[in-house]
Amino acid sequence: MTEIDAKIDALVPAWLHLPDIAEMLDVEVTRVRQLVKEGQLIAVRRGENRTLQVPAAFIDGTRVVKGLAGTLTLLRDDGYNDEEMLDWLFTPDPSLPGTPAQALSENRGTEVKRRAQALAV
């Protein structure tokens, strides 16, 4: 969990509070906090009350977007911190096209992971 800077905040189109995610996933909010702690989601403090929020693009209806956890693991293994991961996931990549976050939500996780692995080279 990290503070968010204005650049990253502007890149991410929509955010969700942890209780809203818990409701969408039909789990307790403690389970959502556990997903953050395990690195399967990224939560940042933002807004006037500095509440924990997660990019809405990470949730697909009633589940976490397929391929997100693996992508976050690859990026972490490459030394990326939460802010750098958000920057990478929400910055347009002409080779995809779109952003890596969009590609994940469109079930193009293999392409995203390939690009994440290439970052380590």
Side-chain angles (χ1 to χ4, degrees):
M1 294 173 266
T2 185
E3 295 286 326
I4 188 87
D5 76 9
K7 178 190 174 207
I8 304 298
D9 200 24
L11 280 177
V12 180
W15 297 88
L16 294 168
H17 293 89
L18 300 192
D20 297 330
I21 295 169
E23 188 175 316
M24 294 169 78
L25 301 180
D26 195 27
V27 297
E28 296 292 324
V29 73
T30 53
R31 177 64 186 135
V32 178
R33 289 183 186 282
Q34 186 66 31
L35 291 172
V36 171
K37 185 177 179 183
E38 292 170 354
Q40 296 182 45
L41 286 174
I42 297 174
V44 297
R45 294 204 176 273
R46 62 181 297 277
E48 190 175 306
N49 295 328
R50 310 309 292 163
T51 58
L52 280 175
Q53 297 178 40
V54 171
F58 290 173
I59 306 299
D60 181 18
T62 59
R63 64 185 179 91
V64 174
V65 169
K66 182 180 175 186
L68 177 66
T71 302
L72 294 179
T73 298
L74 282 171
L75 293 171
R76 245 183 226 103
D77 288 350
D78 290 344
Y80 280 57
N81 63 32
D82 287 356
E83 193 169 285
E84 292 166 333
M85 286 189 280
L86 289 171
D87 185 26
W88 185 80
L89 284 164
F90 287 95
T91 297
D93 180 341
S95 70
L96 277 173
T99 67
Q102 287 171 320
L104 284 172
S105 69
E106 295 166 358
N107 203 22
R108 294 187 289 140
T110 302
E111 296 173 53
V112 173
K113 287 179 187 169
R114 194 172 297 130
R115 282 160 183 79
Q117 287 170 328
L119 296 172
V121 177

